[in-house]
Amino acid sequence: MEKHIDTKCVQSGYSPKSGQPRITPIVQSTTFFYENPEQLARLFDLKESGYFYSRLSNPTCAVLEEKVAALEGGKAALATSSGQAAITLAALNVCNCGDHIISSSAIYGGTYNLFDVTLRKLGIETTFISPDSTAEEIEKHIRPQTKLIYGETVSNPAISVLNFEGYSNAAKKHGILFMVDNTLSSPIHCRPILLGADIVIHSSTKYIDGHATSLGGIIVDSGNFDFKGNKRYADFNTPDQSYHGLIYSKDCGELAFITKARAQLMRDIGACMSPFNAFLTNLGCETLHLRMERTSYNALEIAKTLSSHQKIEFVKYPFLSSDANYGKAEKYLNGGAGGMLSFGVKGGKEKALDFIKNLSVVANVTHVADLRSSVIHPASTTHRQLSRQALAEAGISENLIRFSAGIENINDLTKDILSALKKI
Ligand SMILES: Cc1ncc(COP(=O)(O)O)c(C=O)c1O
C-alpha cells in the first residue's frame, strides 16, 4: 500500500520484527563481524548487501536514507556529514577537471562559493544563471562538457522559486543531470523528482532534523537518469579501475549514481553521517509534516502583518500574492513555502539592527529552518564580506532582515515583532 507522506515521516525506514526495539536503534559501531571471510569478500565486491564499515554504510544511517528516499519518491539515498558534503559529493560524482556546471545564481552562499571558488580551483567551471531562466536561455550555455544543471527549490537567502519547467526541459533535451537542493521546501511542500529532478539534495541540518541538533546532508537518487550509453558520462560507462572494473551504468542499473557516490566518493572522501546524528535527524523527521505546516502558516501570517506595517519598506515571501514568485509558488509548491521570509526596515541598517535588539521571543542566530524562530541581519553577518555593489546584486539591502519562522504560537510571534517595531 502506498502510504501518505505524513505516515512515511513517522514510519518509513524502520519496521521492527517481533522482539526488536520499537525505536530505531543507534548502531554506534564502526565495524561489523562476519564468521565467514568469503561473505565479507562478497560484500566488498558489492555482490551481497550488508554492512562492513560505517564510512560506507551503517544501519542507523540506512534508516534515515530509506526514509528520506521514500519522502522524496526516490530509489535510494546517501547520508553525509553536512549539506555542503552532500552537494560536494554529488557534484564530484559527475564532474571532473575540465567539466562544466550550469547553476541558478539564487543558491545558498556556501554552495555558490563551492561552485565559484573551490570547484573552479579543481578545473570545474560554473555558469550562473537566473532562477527564472527558460529552457531556451539555459540551452545557450550548454557545452559538451556540461555535466550538471543545478538549482534550489526555494532559495536561501533570496527566497525565489526555481523555474522547474525551464531547468528540467533543458536538462532532459540534452541528457544532462538535473539536481535540486530542496532544503527549504522539504518534501512536504515540494517533490522535485515529480518536477523533473534526477537528484535531490538536502541539508538535513535544517527542516529534516528541525531541532538544530545535528549537521547532516542527504543525496536522493530518483533512479530516473539513464547513464547507459550517454557520451557525456564516460565515468559511468567505462570500468572503474578503483573498483575492480565495475561499470556503474551496466552493473548498477537505476542505482548507478548513488552506488558510485557511495562506493567511490564516500570511500575516498569519507564525509559520512555519524549514527548518532542519523538517530537524532530521523527522530526530528518523524514530525516534519506537522512542523512544516505550522512553520509555513506562521511565515505567511508574519509576512502579511509586516506587509501592512508603516515601518516596513518591503516583504518577500513566495505566497504573498504581491510577490514576484507567487505564480511559481502556486505552480510548484504544495501547501506552503517554508518558514523563510525577508523584509526591509525603513530607516536603513541602524533601524534594522535596533529592531533585532528589541526582539525577545525571536532570537538572533546564524541558522534557519528549525523550530525556533530566528532572525539575522545578512549585510553585517553572513554577507558582510560583500561590497555595497555585490550586496545590491545579491538583492541584499542594508536594511534587509532574514526571518526564519519557527513553530511557536503565532500570537506570541506577532506581538514580539510589533512590539520591537514600536520601539524603533
Ligand atoms: C539551501 C541550503 N543548502 C545547503 C546548505 C548547507 O548545509 P550545511 O550547513 O548542512 O552544510 C544550507 C545551509 O544553510 C542551505 O540553506
Side-chain angles (χ1 to χ4, degrees), residues 34-215:
Y34 289 93
E35 280 175 349
N36 179 345
E38 283 85 17
Q39 187 184 6
L40 194 53
R42 284 198 298 280
L43 294 175
F44 267 85
D45 280 355
L46 299 180
K47 295 212 166 89
E48 200 175 299
S49 63
Y51 304 100
F52 52 95
Y53 193 56
S54 285
R55 176 168 8 101
L56 292 166
S57 59
N58 167 281
T60 313
C61 297
V63 168
L64 180 67
E65 289 166 349
E66 200 179 317
K67 177 175 284 185
V68 180
L71 294 178
E72 286 290 1
K75 290 280 179 329
L78 175 63
T80 60
S81 55
S82 68
Q84 284 308 106
I87 299 162
T88 306
L89 290 183
L92 292 179
N93 207 29
V94 285
C95 295
N96 295 326
C97 180
D99 285 339
H100 177 238
I101 298 172
I102 297 176
S103 173
S104 162
S105 56
I107 52 173
Y108 170 61
T111 313
Y112 198 101
N113 282 335
L114 169 69
F115 288 172
D116 200 37
V117 180
T118 304
L119 292 190
R120 210 176 281 280
K121 280 189 202 161
L122 300 180
I124 300 164
E125 202 184 323
T126 299
T127 303
F128 292 99
I129 57 168
S130 158
D132 285 321
S133 300
T134 62
E136 294 70 36
E137 286 163 346
I138 297 169
E139 281 185 79
K140 287 187 199 139
H141 301 286
I142 292 176
R143 310 174 187 171
Q145 304 83 357
T146 305
K147 297 288 174 69
L148 189 59
I149 296 184
Y150 187 91
E152 285 180 13
T153 306
V154 172
S155 64
N156 178 10
I159 321 181
S160 57
V161 179
L162 191 71
N163 176 17
F164 273 94
E165 198 179 323
Y167 275 64
S168 171
N169 286 348
K172 299 274 167 301
K173 185 165 164 195
H174 294 267
I176 300 171
L177 198 77
F178 175 31
M179 194 182 292
V180 173
D181 180 335
N182 197 33
T183 299
L184 291 189
S185 314
S186 90
I188 303 301
H189 291 324
C190 183
R191 258 163 281 162
I193 292 172
L194 297 177
L195 301 171
D198 302 300
I199 305 295
V200 180
I201 301 287
H202 280 280
S203 162
S204 60
T205 319
K206 306 293 174 319
Y207 287 124
I208 290 185
D209 163 29
H211 296 71
T213 67
S214 308
L215 273 155

